[in-house]
Amino acid sequence: LCCCEYVDRRGERNHLAECCCDCQDLDEGCERWLTGKSLSPGTLERIVDTVADRVRVPWFAGAVKINISLVPPLVLLPVLLHVAALHFLLGLLILTSLPVVMLWYYYLTHKRKERTLFFLSLGLFSLGYMYYVFLQEVVPRGRVGYSQVVALTCGLILMLAALSRAKKDPGYLPILSSNKRALHQGLPECRKSVKGSSNGLHSVTTSVAASSRAVNGEAKGYSRTSAEEPEGVKKDWCTKCQLVKPARAGHCRLCGRCVRRLDHHCVWINSCVGEQNHQAFILALSFFMLTAVYGITLTLHTICRGRTPFVALFYCPGAYSDYSSALSFTCVWYCAIVTAGMGYILLIQLLNISYNVTEREARLALRDNTGRRLLGGLVIDTGQYNRGFLCNWGHFLSLGSSPPQRSAEDIV
């Protein structure tokens, strides 16, 4: 392939110059729109898939596909913030509509069980663009010292480092190989044939363990018991991953994997939050809150002199006196909206940790009506793992410190 060629989703060789050619679904859609007819079912989805497949850039070994969800934040965010800085009413309209659009897009992708890089791209680009505006518009005014810029930069670097760690393996359970999967699927029939015979069950157990060792050289499977898991807690069989889930593990329908101590799937990092990355996730949120509040405070002290940050956020007479101040004030309000949302997420997380409950367990408890609403409904106490404030936090801080024990028992 040359730099402008690629293999499309149908397996055919194509060229970037032909990106607007041969799109029957688009032609049919335009024709129906002009004639006032409704689109046939699935037409819009096929058009979107075709457009997403053809958004590519030239590269050495062939045109590289660009994830279309990365583009809107890079283009729309600077444009909308600059437009919002033109007038107070425009800023009010845009900053009010942005959270609504984000929630709509979140529910749309969540309903379709789709993973998207939109929120991760929006978050990272927002950080970079806010930092750029701070350096270009706020620092030159002379009210921010060198040490304050260094402190803000260090907070940003620490937050990105914690975010990078949170993006790693959240604690995925191993996916079975094809041989193991076939072995697992055949187990129920084997069990039925030997039901009521202890000798037969022992022979099946022995053969299964031997087969497993023959496949991988050793028996691999998560132990049914663990020191941190109370007795009597049942462990479920995941029909999607074909394995036994340990206590508190869950299957993420977006990632398609089972995760140990699954808390939730976070769209901001485009990954699950589980046993291995929950601490890094809390650190990333904490560093973001500290850095954002510090940056907002420095900017408001520079634009609205002589006023406290909270008062200046709602009443700053000189904010729209020039375009530079208006842009900085608009970015402050954008940061404040995002920080408020992240602050709420962090608050819920800290409360859940204090009661040793995950978001997934809270949702299941609400569905089954087995939990207690506390603190005005901010936290759902299931009572199953709650061992007191200090013990709960000690358990959280020890997450991922020791790898889970493995045994051949779960293979049977």
Side-chain angles (χ1 to χ4, degrees):
L1 297 177
C2 75
C3 62
C4 295
E5 290 182 326
Y6 64 94
V7 178
D8 60 19
R9 59 193 180 96
R10 295 175 296 182
E12 299 177 359
R13 191 166 179 165
N14 216 324
H15 197 278
L16 288 179
E18 302 175 354
C19 62
C20 296
C21 305
D22 190 23
C23 187
Q24 299 178 357
D25 294 321
L26 181 60
D27 295 339
E28 180 185 355
C30 292
E31 181 180 355
R32 285 179 171 271
W33 178 71
L34 292 174
T35 56
K37 299 179 181 178
S38 60
L39 295 177
S40 57
T43 301
L44 287 178
E45 287 78 4
R46 291 193 297 269
I47 293 175
V48 171
D49 292 340
T50 302
V51 171
D53 185 53
R54 296 184 182 185
V55 178
R56 298 173 181 263
V57 293
W59 201 247
F60 298 105
V64 178
K65 183 178 178 181
I66 299 178
N67 194 316
I68 199 171
S69 62
L70 294 172
V71 179
L74 305 182
V75 177
L76 294 179
L77 183 63
V79 173
L80 292 177
L81 290 178
H82 279 276
V83 172
L86 295 175
H87 194 272
F88 170 75
L89 294 179
L90 286 175
L92 182 63
L93 176 63
I94 291 176
L95 293 177
T96 304
S97 60
L98 275 178
V100 177
V101 174
M102 290 171 57
L103 286 175
W104 169 79
Y105 186 75
Y106 167 75
Y107 285 113
L108 180 65
T109 54
H110 193 73
K111 182 179 180 181
R112 295 181 178 179
K113 301 180 183 180
E114 297 176 355
R115 297 186 67 182
T116 176
L117 293 174
F118 174 84
F119 296 97
L120 179 61
S121 173
L122 177 63
L124 293 177
F125 185 69
S126 296
L127 288 173
Y129 191 70
M130 295 302 106
Y131 186 68
Y132 168 78
V133 171
F134 180 80
L135 295 180
Q136 289 293 114
E137 306 294 342
V138 180
V139 175
R141 294 173 179 264
R143 300 274 297 180
V144 179
Y146 177 76
S147 60
Q148 294 171 319
V149 176
V150 171
L152 187 69
T153 305
C154 290
L156 187 63
I157 293 175
L158 289 174
M159 192 277 296
L160 291 176
L163 180 63
S164 175
R165 175 61 187 88
K167 279 285 296 175
K168 295 182 179 179
D169 181 15
Y172 291 124
L173 293 178
I175 297 179
L176 296 177
S177 62
S178 57
N179 293 336
K180 274 190 175 185
R181 192 180 298 273
L183 188 63
H184 273 270
Q185 292 174 349
L187 278 179
E189 295 182 0
C190 295
R191 285 174 176 169
K192 290 180 181 178
S193 62
V194 298
K195 185 177 181 180
S197 173
S198 59
N199 294 332
L201 181 59
H202 176 72
S203 62
V204 172
T205 304
T206 305
S207 62
V208 168
S211 300
S212 176
R213 287 191 294 269
V215 172
N216 289 331
E218 62 176 353
K220 292 185 178 180
Y222 280 89
S223 174
R224 290 183 182 270
T225 59
S226 175
E228 66 180 33
E229 296 170 358
E231 296 182 359
V233 178
K234 72 171 185 177
K235 302 177 183 181
D236 301 323
W237 171 262
C238 180
T239 57
K240 300 292 185 180
C241 299
Q242 295 293 308
L243 51 79
V244 176
K245 295 184 296 183
R248 311 194 75 177
H251 182 85
C252 176
R253 62 177 187 173
L254 298 180
C255 296
R257 298 283 299 274
C258 285
V259 181
R260 288 185 61 87
R261 198 184 179 275
L262 175 62
D263 189 84
H264 69 287
H265 181 93
C266 181
V267 296
W268 292 104
I269 64 174
N270 193 34
S271 178
C272 289
V273 176
E275 183 179 89
Q276 298 296 323
N277 67 342
H278 202 168
Q279 296 173 353
F281 179 73
I282 296 297
L283 275 179
L285 282 176
S286 302
F287 282 130
F288 172 80
M289 291 294 299
L290 294 174
T291 306
V293 171
Y294 187 59
I296 290 173
T297 303
L298 292 177
T299 305
L300 289 177
H301 273 309
T302 303
I303 300 175
C304 308
R305 300 180 182 180
R307 301 181 185 275
T308 60
F310 184 78
V311 174
L313 189 61
F314 295 95
Y315 182 70
C316 185
Y320 287 87
S321 59
D322 59 276
Y323 188 76
S324 176
S325 299
L327 179 60
S328 301
F329 189 72
T330 303
C331 291
V332 162
W333 257 105
Y334 174 73
C335 289
I337 294 173
V338 176
T339 303
M342 294 300 171
Y344 176 77
I345 295 176
L346 179 59
L347 175 63
I348 297 299
Q349 287 289 313
L350 295 179
L351 290 176
N352 285 345
I353 293 171
S354 300
Y355 286 90
N356 201 0
V357 62
T358 64
E359 279 291 309
R360 173 178 174 271
E361 292 167 351
R363 289 196 299 266
L364 293 177
L366 284 177
R367 185 193 66 183
D368 301 334
N369 196 23
T370 57
R372 295 186 303 144
R373 291 178 177 268
L374 300 176
L375 302 178
L378 290 177
V379 64
I380 306 299
D381 182 20
T382 61
Q384 192 172 13
Y385 300 97
N386 189 359
R387 298 296 181 266
F389 181 83
L390 294 179
C391 291
N392 293 338
W393 273 96
H395 169 73
F396 173 76
L397 294 177
S398 64
L399 288 178
S401 58
S402 59
Q405 298 178 351
R406 297 174 182 267
S407 168
E409 183 183 0
D410 281 336
I411 298 179
V412 179

